[in-house]
Amino acid sequence: MDVKSDQSDEAQGLRLVRAFLSLPPEKRAEVIAFVEELARAQGRPEAGTEASPT
């Protein structure tokens, strides 16, 4: 990855955090629940294998 791409990814991440923090508490809770559900769905490894960190 080049430096410009890294900075762009970092800037996007910061924008997402800022948007999340600007949400009212009940909307934040909805976002957290949604992300946790996605993580559970994505984090189920096949039998006998380990999930790899991403």
Side-chain angles (χ1 to χ4, degrees):
M1 232 182 240
D2 61 20
V3 174
K4 186 174 183 176
S5 178
D6 287 345
Q7 289 174 348
S8 178
D9 290 345
E10 183 176 323
Q12 180 65 26
L14 291 172
R15 283 191 289 273
L16 288 170
V17 169
R18 181 181 285 162
F20 174 77
L21 293 175
S22 70
L23 292 172
E26 63 275 2
K27 291 293 184 183
R28 283 190 212 166
E30 288 180 32
V31 170
I32 290 169
F34 177 74
V35 171
E36 287 175 342
E37 182 60 32
L38 283 177
R40 276 192 292 276
Q42 295 288 320
R44 294 187 184 135
E46 295 297 320
T49 62
E50 281 188 27
S52 62
T54 54

